[in-house]
Each structure stands twice: as structure tokens, then as C-alpha cells.
Amino acid sequence: AKLEQAGSIVFFSERMGLDAMERFYTAQALRHAVGNGELRIYLQSQCDTDGKLVGAETLLRWEHPDRGLVSPTTFIPLAESTGFITTLDRWVIDQMLEMIHQHQGELGDLRFAINISADHFAREDFVSHLITGLHHHRLSGHHLTLELTESVMVQELRLLVSKLRALAGLGIEVSIDDFGTGYSSLSYLQHLPIQELKIDRSFTQDIGGNQSGRAIVSMIHNMAAELNLRTVVEGVETEEQWQYLKHYPNTVVQGYYFSKPQPMDVWLAANLSGKSR
Ligand code: C2E
Ligand code: CA
Ligand code: CA
Ligand code: CA
């Protein structure tokens, strides 16, 4: 079956049956969600190993009027398969630029990490669109980090490096998200002007368990140190994981053990109060 909608063509295998219809209607509802104001930005704190707040990751939430909260693990892959992800990512960027503009005087060195899908990043107009947004809000990029997955490395190295340099020129930092789960070549990595490796939750979970779980985390830490990169460890849930991680230099932690993602206004009220004036 072939379903055509608003300029994008989505192919579904017959085998997917009802699931395909479900996907089709969800994709349509998602298009309406932006205009209907059903999307919310949540922020999850990131701290250094001294406990100092260094920023937050932006996580998208969809409050569907009938279905309640829809998980991004459902709607992000769907948006990626239809090309609608660019609209979603740009909406998040715009909201964040607006927030940064409003709270400029209270943000100090805080950085907000925004997830960018690989297909969106691969667009020719990715950087220029970002520059337009920054100009519009009269901002530099020094409160922003972009989280890119290893899949961006399928791009030609020269093109990729020139995009990353352009971002660095704007003051924007780049983190490689879900690091270790993809297929990044390590020789490639050393050529990239990036600042951060983000260790995936699946590795953090293994810290409490066997030796090999720890071995991977420690290997990524050592490699990051060699490359002069910071590491962010996501999904820290237990005291045991924290005790293990806090001795690593140049490390940032994020997870339920410290704080859960909160609606943006709640997070701002809790973390910016007292910073103003
Ligand atoms: P991610 O980038 O790996 O984000 C981390 C996920 O782990 C988030 O799930 C977060 O809520 C969750 N998490 C944080 N701390 C803990 C913890 O201690 N324990 C556990 N079990 N989970 C924790 P979430 O919010 O459901 O997001 C899922 C994925 O959706 C993200 O994975 C990211 O890939 C994607 N995503 C979310 N927002 C956006 C967005 O605005 N744009 C794009 N392109 N992708 C997004
Ligand atoms: Ca992320
Ligand atoms: Ca991710
Ligand atoms: Ca992850």
C-alpha cells in the first residue's frame, strides 16, 4: 500500500496491516499537534560531578487531547519516517531561542541541549535556518548544544566538518548522542570539531552489574579524554552508578537519580530563581 500525504510519500508493507493505518492517522494527528498547541518542551537537568547545574536537555512531549501523553519513542521515529521531523525539531529550536531571549540575563553559563535528527541535520539549509533564527532573536549560540547521533557520520566528511565548524563559529557546541550504540568510526571521530560524547543509557545501566558494563563506560571516558572531549552520562538512576561515575574528570551526569524531565516553565522557576539580578 502506498499512502500519499502533504508532499511526502510513505510506503507501508501489506504485512503491517492495521498498524499501518494507526501510523497513518497518528502522523496526521501529529501534523495538527503543532498548530493546536499540543506539544510541550520538558527539560532535564545536567550537572557536573561537583553537583553544579550546567544545563538541561530538551525533551519533546505530545499531549494528545484523547490519548494523553504520547511518548517521543513513538512519535519521533514516525516523524523521522515521514520527513515531518524537520518541522518538529525547528519548533523546538524556535521555542528554545524564544526562552533564551527572554531569560538572557539569568542564564549564566547554562547550555540547553537540543536533539537534532540526522535527516534534518543533513539538509542543506540546516545551518542557514539556524542562523536566521539566532539573528531573529538577536542571540549568539553560546547557550546551545546540539545532540547529533552517530548516523550523521554517513555524510561526506568534508561537508560534515564544514557544518560543524559553522556551528562552532556561532558558539554552538555539539554532542554525539547515544554514543557507542551506532556505527561511528573512531578514526572519523578524531577529525570532527565536537565538544562532547554522550554515553547511552544502555551502558549506564550496566555499571551496577558486571565488569564488562563498567569496561565500556571506562573505555569511552578514556577515549574522550584522549580526544579532549567532555562526556555526559545519561540515565543515571542509582547511588551505585553515581559513586562509580563521580571520580571521572570532565564528566556531566543526567538521570532520574538527580532529576526527571520537567515542563519547561517548572524547570525555569526551580532553577533560575535567585539567578536573576
Ligand atoms: P535520548 O536522546 O536518548 O533521550 C534520553 C531519554 O532517556 C529521554 O527519553 C529521557 O526522558 C530518558 N531518561 C532520562 N533520564 C533517565 C533515567 O534516569 N532513566 C531512564 N529509564 N530514562 C531516562 P524520552 O524523553 O522518552 O525521549 C526519547 C527519545 O526521543 C530521545 O532519546 C530522543 O532520541 C528523542 N527525542 C526527544 N525529544 C526530541 C526532539 O525534540 N527532537 C528529536 N529529534 N528527538 C527527540
Ligand atoms: Ca539526547
Ligand atoms: Ca537520541
Ligand atoms: Ca540515549
Side-chain angles (χ1 to χ4, degrees):
K2 181 175 117 181
L3 300 170
E4 228 166 315
Q5 42 162 321
S8 63
I9 302 168
V10 191
F11 293 93
F12 295 126
S13 70
E14 302 291 351
R15 192 177 50 79
M16 289 175 79
L18 273 182
D19 204 37
M21 288 306 282
E22 173 73 11
R23 280 169 57 89
F24 177 69
Y25 287 115
T26 307
Q28 273 193 329
L30 185 56
R31 283 171 192 278
H32 291 130
V34 184
N36 290 350
E38 294 167 17
L39 298 180
R40 306 273 177 274
I41 291 178
Y42 276 54
L43 293 174
Q44 187 179 29
S45 297
Q46 298 184 329
C47 298
D48 68 17
T49 47
D50 296 326
K52 182 180 164 245
L53 182 73
V54 295
E57 178 179 9
T58 63
L59 295 160
L60 198 52
R61 297 287 177 267
W62 178 11
E63 280 175 23
H64 191 279
D66 308 321
R67 283 190 265 177
L69 217 59
V70 185
S71 166
T73 56
T74 313
F75 71 82
I76 295 287
L78 181 64
E80 286 175 334
S81 71
T82 62
F84 191 61
I85 190 65
T86 297
T87 306
L88 288 187
D89 280 356
R90 283 181 175 174
W91 182 83
V92 173
I93 293 170
D94 285 346
Q95 298 291 306
M96 292 308 289
L97 292 180
E98 182 62 35
M99 183 283 284
I100 291 167
H101 176 78
Q102 273 177 29
H103 294 276
Q104 234 169 351
E106 314 162 59
L107 296 179
D109 294 333
L110 295 180
R111 277 191 188 264
F112 298 91
I114 300 178
N115 291 285
I116 303 291
S117 285
D119 285 351
H120 174 206
F121 182 75
R123 285 175 63 110
E124 218 179 318
D125 64 354
F126 176 77
V127 174
S128 63
H129 193 267
L130 205 53
I131 291 175
T132 306
L134 288 168
H135 282 178
H136 181 254
H137 292 92
R138 277 177 256 104
L139 292 174
S140 77
H142 69 268
H143 288 300
L144 293 182
T145 298
L146 300 184
E147 295 193 0
L148 306 175
T149 54
E150 291 165 277
S151 50
V152 300
M153 297 190 200
V154 298
Q155 271 189 57
E156 195 205 335
L157 183 62
R158 264 197 307 160
L159 191 63
L160 179 56
V161 168
S162 81
K163 275 189 186 179
L164 294 173
R165 287 220 180 99
L167 294 177
L170 297 166
I172 297 174
E173 294 199 339
V174 169
S175 178
I176 302 297
D177 202 3
D178 302 335
F179 186 74
T181 64
Y183 45 85
S184 58
S185 112
L186 298 183
S187 61
Y188 217 87
L189 198 64
Q190 66 177 340
H191 297 296
L192 302 182
I194 57 170
Q195 288 71 38
E196 190 177 287
L197 296 181
K198 192 159 183 184
I199 299 180
D200 189 59
R201 193 169 80 224
S202 55
F203 300 121
T204 313
Q205 276 169 353
D206 289 341
I207 288 176
N210 48 28
Q211 280 297 319
S212 64
R214 293 189 173 200
I216 291 176
V217 171
S218 127
M219 189 193 73
I220 297 177
H221 265 116
N222 292 336
M223 193 181 67
E226 291 288 331
L227 295 171
N228 264 314
L229 302 174
R230 178 194 322 124
T231 45
V232 177
V233 186
E234 74 170 13
V236 181
E237 291 181 353
T238 68
E239 169 73 21
E240 188 183 16
Q241 291 162 351
W242 165 233
Q243 289 303 326
Y244 176 75
L245 292 165
K246 70 180 192 187
H247 304 295
Y248 279 101
N250 211 7
T251 294
V252 167
V253 287
Q254 176 185 346
Y256 296 166
Y257 182 69
F258 309 100
S259 54
K260 295 211 163 163
Q262 297 174 299
M264 179 149 76
D265 52 344
V266 174
W267 190 93
L268 291 172
N271 291 290
L272 296 190
S273 52
K275 277 195 160 235
S276 53
R277 284 168 296 273

